[in-house]
Amino acid sequence: MTKAYLALQDGTVMQGESVGAQGTYIGEVVFTVGMAGAVEYLTDPTFAGQILTMAYPIMGGAGVNPEDAESDKAQVRALVVREVCDFPNNFRMQMDLDTYLKQQNIIGITGLDTRKLVKILRDKGAQTGVVTTDPDFSFDQYKDRLNSYRRQVDLAKMSREKQVISGSGKQIALLDLGAKNSTIAAMKNLGYQVNLYPAGTAADEILSGADGVVIAGAAGDANAYPELVETARQLAQSGKPVLGINFGMQLLALAFGGAVGNLAHGHRGSHPVRDLATQRTFVAVQGSGCAVQEDSIDKNVMEITHVNMSDGAVEGLAWKDLPVRAVQFYPDLSHDTKHIWQQMQNLMGGER
């Protein structure tokens, strides 16, 4: 098997074996605690341009079914996993993980100590790294590039084209800033007509004919997009029900005087979240390296509705004088998180 190397900005170098595509990629190295769903993680806009480390030791046991993708292409550019299953088996699988990685031009590395790597990322935070199959690899040749790398996310490329996803119920306008397919599917399954708008669309156009608005996105630092913060403010102040999801929550918080900062470890994969109104704790899918800072929240304007049970980070907000809600996690129609969509439905009059 071809040798592959992973090197971190702090000087850590690990040797493993190549899987998937071959080549070299420099990017931000992060980890997720998810145990299954390789194609969902690889196509999740949360991980756009990143090097993804799987904390779970083996991946690909169920193979890959592209129907499970969260976007129309792979978002991860390099994958780090302890072991890839050699003999996957599932009635829905269309290909094995190695084939999918090659098809999507994702450079993979296996056979290294991912426990050690996750501990480094846990203790030091996300780092710039390089994954390469270069047989002449040496850390020195990449050191300067690792130190100068800065992640940039092009939201225009993350957004889908303007479109209408038909439904028989009320109209929800979706400001798509990298929304997951499962978010769109949840609204469609609820019967709503989804009017999808890409980044850069004016608030007036988004609001036209809408019974409610969803701002959903997954990647980047909201502080870098002041124009979207202003759009979020206009949408929230329109008086129409608004739900912010992940990146959307950060934009809404910034629009009302909040601050967004980096998380020490990031929230990627499944995490325990507590609903403060019911004191019920549930598991929710996460995908962010940033969060709204609790001490920046004006309690006269909004209140905290959900918190992360691992580190106490803010996971949900409700505005006191506006029909606006926001969550840092991804709500779906499962028992654990369907109450978020029920709240949105109630804000829109209680009917679909």
Side-chain angles (χ1 to χ4, degrees):
M1 245 188 169
T2 303
K3 289 182 180 179
Y5 300 90
L6 167 70
L8 300 180
Q9 190 175 5
D10 68 359
T12 299
V13 177
M14 297 182 177
Q15 179 181 312
E17 296 178 341
S18 170
V19 64
Q22 296 190 16
T24 299
Y25 184 76
I26 294 175
E28 185 181 39
V29 185
V30 299
F31 72 90
T32 177
V33 298
M35 297 174 62
V39 69
E40 289 94 331
Y41 286 115
L42 294 172
T43 57
D44 188 339
T46 298
F47 303 114
Q50 292 180 319
I51 297 171
L52 179 61
T53 303
M54 305 302 300
Y56 195 70
I58 185 168
M59 294 299 294
V64 170
N65 186 341
E67 293 178 1
D68 297 330
E70 288 289 2
S71 62
D72 61 1
K73 63 180 180 180
Q75 303 291 344
V76 171
R77 299 315 319 153
L79 178 68
V80 183
V81 61
R82 178 70 180 87
E83 181 182 351
V84 172
C85 180
D86 292 328
F87 303 101
N89 184 20
N90 185 273
F91 75 99
R92 295 182 66 246
M93 69 172 283
Q94 296 185 20
M95 65 188 79
D96 61 25
L97 181 56
D98 179 55
T99 299
Y100 183 76
L101 294 175
K102 288 185 172 74
Q103 183 186 92
Q104 296 293 318
N105 196 32
I106 299 172
I107 304 168
I109 180 171
T110 70
L112 44 70
D113 189 347
T114 50
R115 291 180 302 175
K116 175 182 176 180
L117 178 57
V118 168
K119 286 180 179 178
I120 292 172
L121 299 176
R122 181 194 65 189
D123 295 340
K124 297 183 178 181
Q127 290 195 50
T128 301
V130 57
V131 174
T132 181
T133 56
D134 180 359
D136 300 319
F137 166 81
S138 71
F139 179 77
D140 288 343
Q141 71 187 98
Y142 291 99
K143 185 175 181 180
D144 291 342
R145 293 167 63 186
L146 292 175
N147 289 331
S148 62
Y149 173 85
R150 296 292 181 273
R151 186 189 183 206
Q152 294 181 328
V153 178
D154 187 344
L155 286 181
K157 292 183 179 179
M158 302 289 288
S159 299
R160 299 164 180 81
E161 294 182 357
K162 180 180 176 180
Q163 58 185 286
V164 175
I165 301 173
S166 62
S168 58
K170 293 186 175 182
Q171 297 187 42
I172 285 189
L174 170 63
L175 179 55
D176 176 18
L177 306 175
K180 294 170 64 169
N181 283 347
S182 54
T183 298
I184 298 174
M187 291 185 283
K188 184 178 179 181
N189 290 340
L190 286 168
Y192 297 121
Q193 175 179 305
V194 182
N195 301 325
L196 190 150
Y197 298 94
T201 306
D204 288 346
E205 182 179 355
I206 296 170
L207 291 166
S208 179
D211 296 297
V213 178
V214 172
I215 307 172
D221 180 354
N223 293 291
Y225 301 94
E227 70 285 356
L228 288 175
V229 173
E230 175 58 22
T231 299
R233 184 189 64 79
Q234 293 176 21
L235 294 173
Q237 292 182 335
S238 70
K240 291 188 177 181
V242 175
L243 172 63
I245 298 174
N246 199 339
F247 191 67
M249 170 169 158
Q250 297 170 24
L251 292 173
L252 286 165
L254 288 171
F256 289 84
V260 173
N262 292 328
L263 288 163
H265 308 125
H267 295 160
R268 299 177 178 94
S270 300
H271 286 255
V273 174
R274 173 162 291 179
D275 184 332
L276 297 182
T278 63
Q279 292 300 305
R280 184 174 67 91
T281 299
F282 55 89
V283 175
V285 176
Q286 307 271 306
S288 181
C290 301
V292 177
Q293 296 179 346
E294 182 177 358
D295 59 5
S296 73
I297 297 171
D298 185 343
K299 301 302 194 303
N300 295 316
V301 176
M302 52 188 129
E303 62 181 346
I304 299 172
T305 59
H306 298 79
V307 296
N308 189 291
M309 294 302 291
S310 297
D311 59 11
V314 178
E315 293 277 3
L317 294 170
W319 274 247
K320 293 188 174 182
D321 297 323
L322 293 170
V324 179
R325 301 290 185 271
V327 289
Q328 188 64 46
F329 52 89
Y330 297 111
D332 55 27
L333 297 181
S334 70
H335 176 72
D336 283 344
T337 57
K338 69 180 181 181
H339 66 285
I340 302 301
W341 292 113
Q342 291 172 341
Q343 290 173 4
M344 184 62 175
Q345 182 176 322
N346 292 338
L347 291 174
M348 292 192 297
E351 298 178 359
R352 298 178 185 177

